[in-house]
Amino acid sequence: MKIGFLGLGRMGSGMARRLANAEDSLTVYNRNSEAAKALLSSGVTAVARPGAMGDRDLVFTMLADDQAVREVVLAPGALLDSLPQGATHVSCSTISVALAKELAERHGANGQNFLSLPVFGRPDAAAAGKLFLVAAGQEDLVEQLRPIFLRLGQDVWWVGEQPELANLVKLSGNFLIAATIESLGEAMALVEKGGVDRHAYLDFLTRSLFTAPIHRNYGKLIADRAIRPAGFAAPLGQKDLRLVGEAAEKLAVPMPFSSILRDRFLGLAARGEADVDWAALGVEAARSAGLTTDGD
């Protein structure tokens, strides 16, 4: 199969390399061409514009936000205009529900297929092919492509025929992750200020009541104050919480915790901390409590 991949950031580069290690032909595009150079030794072809995908059967996009997707997919001469009829665009980006719906409609009008396949996992999981994949769109097409998807992740969950449903699941999951980070940070700040070593507390939590990877991994980042370099940058988390709010308003679903998380992200943004991991939400709780947050 002739595959294309657009977007070679920290997540996309790892995902593209997983596809490059297989037997199919891979062509990549990234706005900053330097990111593609590391893949060229694997037999990958790099192109200079997103519209140079006219011979591809399947194209993945992994981009930062709605604006980036619009520029790469919907701008004149971009992916939508160049993708052949019958070919499939798979969007792995965390984008709005509304944009996913629009992409499905626009591709359908062009005789192209569209699937949403947002992913859960950090850059190390992307590089190792250990992501969790949520799929929505035509079920038989998802099943046909499942072997390719499983090069990227541990499993694929199909959630419905409308592609935007996968994006709703992705946003809800990111809300839960952010809420977990915040609650971990608050609990750790409470016991630390009361005299309990935060690392000992985390060891108790993650070997007894809260043994999931999300608690172990983010708990360690919070306890270690390891918020740089960012595996998932705080501004991306802030964007996701904004999209959660938009979806909740559209569906008339009150989500009061999302407002608290939004304010945490705004506090980071107000101090210009755009380079921190969103695990910084948990460290904010310690900072609010007057505790040392300098990596002690």
Side-chain angles (χ1 to χ4, degrees):
M1 182 174 285
K2 297 178 180 178
I3 301 175
F5 200 101
L6 288 74
L8 300 175
R10 295 198 66 190
M11 292 291 291
S13 59
M15 294 168 69
R17 191 173 293 279
R18 296 289 305 179
L19 297 172
N21 289 338
E23 66 273 13
D24 297 310
S25 162
L26 182 65
T27 296
V28 300
Y29 165 80
N30 195 65
R31 183 170 55 184
N32 177 2
S33 61
E34 289 295 316
K37 290 183 178 179
L39 293 169
L40 298 183
S41 61
S42 303
V44 172
T45 299
V47 295
R49 55 188 183 85
M53 295 284 166
D55 66 337
R56 300 289 95 181
D57 306 304
L58 172 65
V59 176
F60 292 85
T61 52
M62 186 59 171
L63 301 159
D65 52 28
D66 282 27
Q67 180 180 346
V69 171
R70 288 188 177 279
E71 291 174 356
V72 168
V73 179
L74 299 179
L79 180 63
L80 182 72
D81 288 345
S82 66
L83 197 64
Q85 288 194 358
T88 301
H89 170 204
V90 178
S91 171
C92 300
S93 309
T94 303
I95 56 175
S96 68
V97 173
L99 179 55
K101 185 175 181 179
E102 180 183 349
L103 288 169
E105 292 170 350
R106 297 282 296 274
H107 280 296
N110 270 20
Q112 303 154 348
N113 303 310
F114 177 73
L115 300 174
S116 280
L117 190 75
V119 305
F120 286 95
R122 291 168 69 86
D124 57 343
K130 298 296 185 182
L131 298 170
F132 297 107
L133 314 173
V134 180
Q138 189 177 327
E139 185 176 12
D140 60 350
L141 183 57
V142 171
E143 291 307 310
Q144 177 187 333
L145 295 173
R146 181 179 289 266
I148 294 176
F149 295 164
L150 289 176
R151 298 176 195 169
L152 304 174
Q154 302 181 50
D155 207 346
V156 181
W157 286 264
W158 179 78
V159 297
E161 291 281 344
Q162 293 76 42
E164 64 270 18
L165 295 179
N167 298 92
L168 187 63
V169 170
K170 170 61 175 173
L171 292 173
S172 72
N174 277 15
F175 163 76
L176 281 171
I177 295 171
T180 299
I181 294 170
E182 172 69 25
S183 60
L184 272 172
E186 291 183 18
M188 291 171 74
L190 175 65
V191 300
E192 181 180 0
K193 196 160 187 181
V196 177
D197 179 82
R198 63 179 183 265
H199 291 91
Y201 177 66
L202 178 65
D203 181 63
F204 156 70
L205 285 181
T206 56
R207 293 203 292 125
S208 59
L209 303 175
F210 299 98
T211 60
I214 201 76
H215 298 102
R216 294 196 305 270
N217 296 339
Y218 280 106
K220 187 175 189 308
L221 290 176
I222 295 167
D224 292 346
R225 311 298 198 229
I227 58 175
R228 292 182 177 89
F232 184 74
L236 294 175
Q238 183 177 358
K239 176 264 298 183
D240 291 351
L241 263 292
R242 176 176 55 79
L243 297 182
V244 168
E246 290 176 3
E249 184 171 351
K250 180 73 173 179
L251 294 170
V253 177
M255 298 183 71
F257 286 175
S258 68
S259 297
I260 296 170
L261 297 170
R262 178 203 62 192
D263 287 347
R264 284 291 200 207
F265 280 119
L266 286 174
L268 293 171
R271 293 195 301 274
E273 296 184 26
D275 63 332
V276 298
D277 194 275
W278 71 334
L281 288 181
V283 179
E284 281 292 278
R287 179 181 284 170
S288 297
L291 296 167
T292 300
T293 60
D294 59 0
D296 57 316

